[in-house]
Amino acid sequence: MLKLDNKPLSYDRAFTHNDIQYPSNWLRLASLEEKKAIGITEVANDPTYDQRFYWGVDNPKQLDDKTETVDGEEVKTTGLKTLWSATQGEIAASLLAPSDWRIIKAKETGTNIPSAWKTYRAAVRTACNTRQTEIGNAADVPALKELLFGQPTLTQQKKDSDGEDVVDSDNKPVMEDVPNPAIATAWPTPI
């Protein structure tokens, strides 16, 4: 991040310094020496964190529900596991809602529900229950975040049948993509 007089500067935005107006492209076109000559410094960006899981950098939110007594009254604080478990129920409901009319129609008219729809709806409920169990088993906030938003595959060094690392003829590791075992069960593909 660039700063001038301890104020952040944005690329592609005009600014004024010492009664001189600089055009929006000046920061992109100016050399490092030109920037330093008017007092512009480069500083590291503030660290970022995922606000869904952390209050601040290295400050995770509460994982489990917590009940405590405050001024003689019990106060329950909902943890991330409960919040994300409820979210799975909402996702399942949104996946089931488009086919609800088929179930209602079949019940009202006395006809059969197509087996493909029965199978799909059962798979959604099963995936929801499995995901909620996986959330409940998360050991800590980083594990919960990885469970819900981790990459589906990991790149790692390939192993041979004896469990030894595989290298090529130049003695460089042979890499492969493998499924990430730390992510949640996938939702079924909609029909």
Side-chain angles (χ1 to χ4, degrees):
M1 168 181 1
L2 299 177
K3 285 193 169 187
L4 178 61
D5 296 332
N6 211 25
K7 294 179 186 171
L9 294 175
S10 298
Y11 283 99
D12 301 320
R13 192 168 191 165
F15 65 96
T16 303
H17 176 65
N18 290 340
D19 296 327
I20 299 173
Q21 192 167 12
Y22 295 87
S24 60
N25 64 348
W26 190 86
L27 289 174
R28 292 205 182 274
L29 299 175
S31 69
L32 181 60
E33 291 78 23
E34 290 172 315
K35 292 174 188 171
K36 284 182 177 179
I38 67 166
I40 294 176
T41 57
E42 189 165 356
V43 296
N45 290 333
D46 293 334
T48 60
Y49 58 93
D50 190 333
Q51 294 180 6
R52 298 170 296 182
F53 296 91
Y54 295 89
W55 292 114
V57 177
D58 296 327
N59 185 11
K61 293 184 178 181
Q62 182 176 302
L63 188 62
D64 295 304
D65 293 350
K66 182 178 178 183
T67 303
E68 56 190 350
T69 304
V70 177
D71 296 332
E73 290 188 39
E74 280 195 1
V75 177
K76 182 178 180 183
T77 306
T78 305
L80 289 173
K81 287 182 180 180
T82 299
L83 294 172
W84 284 105
S85 222
T87 300
Q88 303 315 297
E90 294 165 7
I91 293 169
S94 72
L95 293 172
L96 293 172
S99 62
D100 283 350
W101 70 272
R102 294 175 183 279
I103 307 307
I104 294 167
K105 178 185 173 192
K107 294 294 180 186
E108 287 178 350
T109 61
T111 58
N112 290 331
I113 301 166
S115 64
W117 284 106
K118 283 184 183 179
T119 302
Y120 169 72
R121 291 174 64 86
V124 168
R125 288 189 290 275
T126 300
C128 180
N129 292 337
T130 303
R131 290 172 70 93
Q132 289 172 329
T133 299
E134 292 166 342
I135 288 167
N137 292 335
D140 54 25
V141 172
L144 179 62
K145 183 180 175 189
E146 178 69 13
L147 176 75
L148 297 171
F149 297 101
Q151 294 298 316
T153 59
L154 301 173
T155 302
Q156 66 182 25
Q157 188 168 2
K158 194 172 186 176
K159 306 276 186 194
D160 63 16
S161 59
D162 296 327
E164 300 294 324
D165 292 338
V166 176
V167 294
D168 64 14
S169 59
D170 295 330
N171 209 28
K172 292 182 181 173
V174 176
M175 306 303 282
E176 67 178 342
D177 288 337
V178 296
N180 184 350
I183 62 170
T185 300
W187 292 102
T189 304
I191 296 179

